[in-house]
Amino acid sequence: MLAAIGAKTEEDLIAYLPADVRFDKRLAIEDGKSEYDIVDYFKQRSTENAIGYASFLGAGVYNHYRPVVVDTVVSRGEFLTSYTPYQAEISQGTLTSIFEFQTMVCQLTGMEVANASMYDGSSAVPEAAMMAVRVTRRDKILIARTVHPEYREVLATYTKHQGIPVEELAYGKNGRLDLDDLKKKLDSSVAAIILQSPNFFGILEQVPEISHIVQSKGALLVVVFTEAVALGLIEPPRDADIVVGELQSFAISPSYGGPYAGIIATREKYIRQIPGRLVGETTDAQGRRAFCLTLATREQHIRREKATSNICTNQALLALMATVFMTLYGKEGLRELAEQNLAKAHYLADKLPLQFDAPFFNEFVAGTNGKSPQAINSALLEKKIVGGLELGRFYPELKNCTLWCATEMNKRQDMDMVAEAFGK
Amino acid sequence: MLAAIGAKTEEDLIAYLPADVRFDKRLAIEDGKSEYDIVDYFKQRSTENAIGYASFLGAGVYNHYRPVVVDTVVSRGEFLTSYTPYQAEISQGTLTSIFEFQTMVCQLTGMEVANASMYDGSSAVPEAAMMAVRVTRRDKILIARTVHPEYREVLATYTKHQGIPVEELAYGKNGRLDLDDLKKKLDSSVAAIILQSPNFFGILEQVPEISHIVQSKGALLVVVFTEAVALGLIEPPRDADIVVGELQSFAISPSYGGPYAGIIATREKYIRQIPGRLVGETTDAQGRRAFCLTLATREQHIRREKATSNICTNQALLALMATVFMTLYGKEGLRELAEQNLAKAHYLADKLPLQFDAPFFNEFVAGTNGKSPQAINSALLEKKIVGGLELGRFYPELKNCTLWCATEMNKRQDMDMVAEAFGK
Amino acid sequence: MIEKVSRHIVQEEPLLFELSSPGKRGYQLPELDVPAVDAKAVVGSENVRNEIEDFPEVSEFETVRHFTRLSTWNYAIDLGLYPLGSCTMKYNPRVNELVARTEGLAWAHPYQPDSLSQGCLETIYALERALAEITGMDAVTLQPAAGAHGEFTGILMMRALLEKRGNPRKKILVPDSAHGTNPATAMMVGYSVENIKSNERGMVDVDVLSRVMTEDVAGLMITNPNTVGVFEENIRKICGILHDKGGLIYMDGANMNALVGIARPGDFGVDVMHLNLHKTFSTPHGGGGPGSGAVAVAKVLTPFLPGPRLNREGDAWHWNYDLPDSIGRVRAYYGNFGVLVRALAYIMAHGGNGLRQATLDAVLNANYLRVLLEPYYEIAYKAPSMHEAVFSDDRQAKKGVRTGDIAKRLIDYGFHPYTVSFPLIVRGALMIEPTETESKRELDLFVDAMISIAQEIDESPELVVNAPHSTRTLRVDEVTAARKPIVRWTPKTAASQAAD
Amino acid sequence: MIEKVSRHIVQEEPLLFELSSPGKRGYQLPELDVPAVDAKAVVGSENVRNEIEDFPEVSEFETVRHFTRLSTWNYAIDLGLYPLGSCTMKYNPRVNELVARTEGLAWAHPYQPDSLSQGCLETIYALERALAEITGMDAVTLQPAAGAHGEFTGILMMRALLEKRGNPRKKILVPDSAHGTNPATAMMVGYSVENIKSNERGMVDVDVLSRVMTEDVAGLMITNPNTVGVFEENIRKICGILHDKGGLIYMDGANMNALVGIARPGDFGVDVMHLNLHKTFSTPHGGGGPGSGAVAVAKVLTPFLPGPRLNREGDAWHWNYDLPDSIGRVRAYYGNFGVLVRALAYIMAHGGNGLRQATLDAVLNANYLRVLLEPYYEIAYKAPSMHEAVFSDDRQAKKGVRTGDIAKRLIDYGFHPYTVSFPLIVRGALMIEPTETESKRELDLFVDAMISIAQEIDESPELVVNAPHSTRTLRVDEVTAARKPIVRWTPKTAASQAAD
Ligand SMILES: Cc1ncc(COP(=O)(O)O)c(C=O)c1O
Ligand SMILES: Cc1ncc(COP(=O)(O)O)c(C=O)c1O
């Protein structure tokens, strides 16, 4: 090959690079390792983590069983090692599955259109805010303090330099958005109010009521979800204008925080304001049904500085995992799964001091009956149980409270041990 | 569907079965379990076994690293869930890979033709014996005591009722076949002598010399191997008439004894006496190269009671694993792998009391220097090391001896611990 | 109009040997942590080979691509209906693949101490019990590697028992509808084979049987339901005839998918039988194997089971090698353990009721196909079908189209063919077994295809005789392949290839 | 004559919703070990939904078949060359998939105590160090989810630094050859975009740059090697121009596959850059993601990195949230950890020398293609190519054939097309990046195909304009798709479908 190019060595090919940019040292990275050594290295890392612990952590990342078939599907090279389906004629597999994904997201959320995925739930929130600003031509965003704290941090980062002021809305003593605070702050400069349901405390917000208040003022209602399993049983936010959320619960392993799959769904009329990729139905030269990426004129590679977002690569493979998961559980299975989560969480909640009394799904906030959260959790760690999230780090006023999640994966005897630890 | 058949219930479909054959009770088998429970059940079984032990067991089953790609290939549904490739037009994937397998087996063993696989190495031995009887029209079989003891048991089981007398050949004090005993027993009634190299003690037999002796008497030489990795470095039994062996070493996990992949290879002139399936090259209706199962007239489904064997289903998927393994290592890699095994085994052997002094590959027999094998092994078990195989169970005269195997997977510090246990 | 499949590009790929280039390799070894040794010095130069001539030299990536490309030339159960009669091509649950790879099971060495193998032993025990319950037999051995191997094991045990009784006898009776492995097996156990003709209903003819049943007969190998998919209605009487004359009954259990949960061979008089775990119990065929031919026996035969056998001592399992009457080993170690794990997982997922339901669904699917196809194809026997339906190509043969042609045409319609020309007692047999895991949708498409082919045979038979037309590889010349067999690649063949 | 591919049957498959039948499901839940609750009672009936309308109802087997069939309609790197310029479609090592699934890593919860997360933290640290070494930068954040996300993070940090210095400034300069994410990103950080024209060699015009560089300019987003595959020979001077006027340099590192081990942005003056781990570091694209857009920064920018950051306390890692100058989070948790594991495994497998060798091989492969294709296609710029070669369709356009047509025709030849019509500064661009993992054999076949297409364009252009001809799906009507968008299935669409 070198001969064909008229070069003697590969070094010749880069000889022309200016000497003052060449890196002539050796990279300080150890020599290549064998596959065996690499597998061994990560096995060791793995054992430095929690293994064999029962966990009651949720807070945006949930421990659900992943059916084996999900891995079977995403391990197929045809899905795993293909690029974004720009060449529709040889990408119908991916395009068809994304079309199915978009459809199922609509069916779940009660929205009319959904995109092909966002990075994750947290980054989908500012995208929704920016979209609302474009739609309403207003600039202010109100966000409930019951939205995942890290999601709120991400919103702050994104909006800082885009002239989008953000204000937070308080929660009441039942753990729900404080409607009075909402009414107080809702004025004609507000583009959208952002709400999470089930909220960070696991509590169901009053979406219909809130949507009336919000929409009557010409603002959009954005509803966020972090626990997709709830959608199998809980009434979806049909009255919202935009729904964003996280599908990690659908067969995506917690993987220490990512990769996950965010979604954004909305009403048909806003389709041209939606960020990210969309797959649409069309026909091929023979008139047979086919799918392709569509409405690219919203996107950065065509619209550049006028694009709806700068997002390019999304989370396609994770969206496929969620698609397979939704397919396997299906209409009945997803409901039954949600019912099991509801039952487990309420079994546990009945044994712990509840901080709030509004209805919740599979997470809830426990108050204290004397013992500190730290004391309870370290006692549980002894028993190889990771207890609830200590809320002080996000809500100073709840420093004695912990956030507990129970899913179909949590065993009764572990829940009973938690109750003991609370000394109840 | 019932309607189409004119039945009301599925029960109607079997109503005609004679009452005295119907099973009207419920099977005493627990109700169906969830995938989660099944995975959990086998995880528990798994933890009841040795996990995290270093092992020096060989004796026909070897602990070699399995490259990840092997699993990638055999997990593809197109290979995993297809049947025997009787319909060549939609089975070229399997047929082509078997053709490659047959070729590589020939390249490794120095034989001219090989079949598509046998159940395992042990059952390939009697198949070779029966083949030799057909070829030579003689009936007696001589088998060296240095052949894997369980392989010899299998030969006994197969030959018992086929009028094939079997005699064993002693080994000398260097652990090799005793040539005098061979000459003494080798007469004109002998169809074949069966030899293993590297033999059960890990020692290389003198195949060329023996083949002269055997073939000069008109008998066939059958050479068995259990450690395929040796073929990367050690001269293959080119002078043999039939080679049978076990490919477990090639990416097939020990899996408590199976499934593995046996092979049988021989000279072109005996091709019509070979048992089992063969893939051959041919062309399709367009004259393009194609492959198909061939010489079926040897097989039971055509020949019935006159078949060369009753074998039908073989070990195709395991043969594919071995094929991928051989492809990945290739010409250089397989040699290097064998050299590492040689080095490891000799490092260990240098520290232990050797029972025999003939050259060996990656297994050897250790004698005792006072301590009993049981004492040494139980001391090692404390250190999470599974020691060598105690030979007393197969060779009473070697009750103080153990068979040790070291592969690329054995770590130096473990070998040093073994040396300590021997108190050397 | 064929709508189930279309045509698409598929990658071509040379053989590994044609792909190789010197020095390439797909794998790197860990660093050697002990001193390297000079092979010639330690084993003698006469024992060290030269390089393995023409052995592959390709990269890891080329390896992945090579086998991925090859795989795309295959049909598989994951792609569509695979109605091979007698093969029970049902869905292979993927969780079974996962559990079979559980580290402590997949990496257990057969010689590791029993005390460190309790998980394997418990697994083997659990499967033995489940299969004994399903077959209604006393004990089960999991050692045989496949059905034929199980037949061999079973007939050996029969012979051992008869010898113990004083006379091994001379013959094994085999119905002419039997699978080829049956007679081939009998020979390997030193018996001669007497074929017995089936009656007009496709069943064993009881009168013929009584006539041929003598003191010379060691036993009968019967398949039930038999290879025409029909339940041997006289099975009890048949067993009686054998037993009265001191003979034994071997049942080929390849068709057990039709009986699980609704009839138990042990209850109706069978003495010994095998199960194909790679059929009835869903373990994948893998392009031809591995399988497992578990053998179940009645009480009289238990002393003769191959060894070792499991023993419970205290609260632990042990292997017992002290079996004076055992026929000995039929293979090294304990069986295809990895296959056993999959079969047990299948049984656990279904449970007793689920297994029975699967049987009913299998029978339903087969009869659904039978009813819809009977107007177009000649059913071989009027007797009711169980899990499979066997037709003859009589009607189509009149037009010069044989079962093998119809099979090839099915490929164009997107299906794997049924089993062709077996059993031999049916002229031009079409042996169709859908299994319970197929949906009505897939079955209906199959029926449409078969009907459409029947019409093509009337209108344009050549279309069928020259099928398939839409595959990468057209009809393959099997005759030439057998006339001058080329069973391995050599630089020479390659050259001549290039020459063409 | 096309020999690389042939045509074969491929299964058709309806949408899940068309496949569904009531009551079917692919999964069974474990038995509930606590009392069931009445949903309406515990959350209120107004909060309980009715059934999810039209949601799929299929069996596990139908699920496996559905997605297996769909997958056969895809092209993939595992099937052949995927020469998408700017996308670095290299082999995705399978061991990386295995290690990313290691239980303790894949099932680690982001909020589990640091003391129980040391394996994750060590992994993150090891990758941060390796990437800092490779880029010659001071520190690295692994939080961004993809390249564009990394750009956003980087520009935010630039702005934070400039604000700290007293003036965030107004503009970001972007060469007209830049990827669309660059200008789109600048806007999201509140900057206006000024595009700067490339010179006749495809590089940033230093004179133009000096002219537009003012105190209003926050910085320059430069891609190096740039999107025409050319190394910006004046990069040091360019950095100087920016720095002299108090501006900063952002480097889009999407093309880092051309530099690893041979040049380090940190050494030649870049202040901040992103890496696409899903390009340079081999993590699979998965049909469009996930990715990871690690961002590396020079010392001046480290205070502004998104939080949390790793801290070593004693012999353990901890997350530090006390970062007064940080730009804050760009996403929840710590990044696409599963992707990070794969990237680290890739780096470990190569080692320092292996990484450099990969770069040289990538450059070799690109130049090999360039040299062999130049006689037939117009190279966009004479300047030497690094990892990719960009041509223009000028010659072919004269015959009325555009780059998009040539791309579709490549499909018939068994290849995925190159990147079409990007960068925009090249008329009808053909942007070709083979990567280092391709064999000479595959490259030669690609060259043959491109030459053959060039000839077809002379002889029978319509053949090319109407391509592809051999795929299951022929050329797709993207215009109609966008005119009346249908982005979800509904019973209605299905009906109208059937109507057609
Ligand atoms: C009726 C019957 N008997 C026996 C066998 C042989 O079983 P195996 O192929 O597992 O050896 C088969 C398999 O095709 C069969 O269909
Ligand atoms: C030059 C260049 N910059 C930026 C990007 C955006 O990276 P990502 O798709 O990971 O967001 C790409 C990806 O195509 C690219 O090629």
Side-chain angles (χ1 to χ4, degrees), chain D residues 150-167:
Chain D
E151 295 172 28
F152 177 63
T153 308
I155 302 299
L156 276 171
M157 287 189 274
M158 281 171 48
R159 184 170 186 128
L161 171 59
L162 293 171
E163 267 174 357
K164 191 106 183 163
R165 289 181 180 167
N167 174 8

Side-chain angles (χ1 to χ4, degrees), chain D residues 57-113:
Chain D
E57 297 182 274
V58 301
S59 70
E60 177 180 320
F61 188 17
E62 288 172 303
T63 306
V64 168
R65 241 185 217 170
H66 178 77
F67 290 102
T68 303
R69 287 172 171 178
L70 261 53
S71 75
T72 62
W73 305 341
N74 270 7
Y75 188 91
I77 187 86
D78 280 1
L79 289 171
L81 176 71
Y82 219 120
L84 279 173
S86 205
C87 301
T88 315
M89 291 295 281
K90 62 175 68 177
Y91 171 55
N92 308 137
R94 279 312 196 291
V95 63
N96 300 1
E97 296 308 304
L98 178 80
V99 294
R101 286 164 169 78
T102 311
E103 186 177 1
L105 302 177
W107 292 90
H109 191 289
Y111 289 150
Q112 69 194 27

Side-chain angles (χ1 to χ4, degrees), chain D residues 73 90 112 115 136 148 158 185 191 212 330 342 369 374 391 429 446:
Chain D
W73 305 341
K90 62 175 68 177
Q112 69 194 27
S115 59
M158 281 171 48
T185 297
Y191 285 116
V212 297
V330 294
R342 291 168 171 88
L369 289 185
E374 265 185 296
F391 297 86
F446 178 73

Side-chain angles (χ1 to χ4, degrees), chain B residues 83 119 277 310-314, chain C residues 85-87 145-149 151 179 181-182 223 227 252 254-255 274 276 278-279 291-293 422:
Chain B
Y83 196 69
Y119 297 139
R277 295 176 184 142
N310 72 337
I311 190 170
C312 180
T313 291
N314 58 19
Chain C
S86 204
C87 301
H149 206 211
E151 296 172 29
H179 190 268
T181 50
N182 294 184
T223 307
T227 60
D252 181 329
N255 295 342
H274 79 261
N276 305 69
H278 46 298
K279 297 180 180 184
S292 177
F422 177 77

Side-chain angles (χ1 to χ4, degrees), chain D residues 4 35 38 51 53 56 110 142 145 158 187 336 348 360 383 407 436 439 443 446:
Chain D
K4 183 172 193 266
D38 170 1
E51 68 163 32
E53 266 178 46
L142 302 174
M158 281 171 48
M187 297 298 292
N336 282 347
M348 288 174 69
L360 293 174
E436 69 278 8
S439 66
L443 296 181
F446 178 73

Side-chain angles (χ1 to χ4, degrees), chain A residues 125 141-148 151-152 169-170 176-179 182 192-200 203-211 214 220-226 237 240 242-245:
Chain A
V125 169
I141 300 293
L142 303 182
I143 186 165
R145 282 192 75 219
T146 52
V147 173
H148 191 307
Y151 285 28
R152 283 182 282 129
L169 300 173
R176 281 177 159 170
L177 172 69
D178 175 341
L179 296 188
L182 167 61
I193 96 117
I194 303 176
L195 195 68
Q196 178 178 326
S197 184
N199 69 23
F200 190 68
I203 289 172
L204 310 181
E205 296 280 7
Q206 298 152 290
V207 176
E209 295 81 331
I210 296 168
S211 68
V214 171
L220 302 190
L221 177 62
V222 177
V223 176
V224 183
F225 66 87
T226 60
I242 304 173
V243 175
V244 293

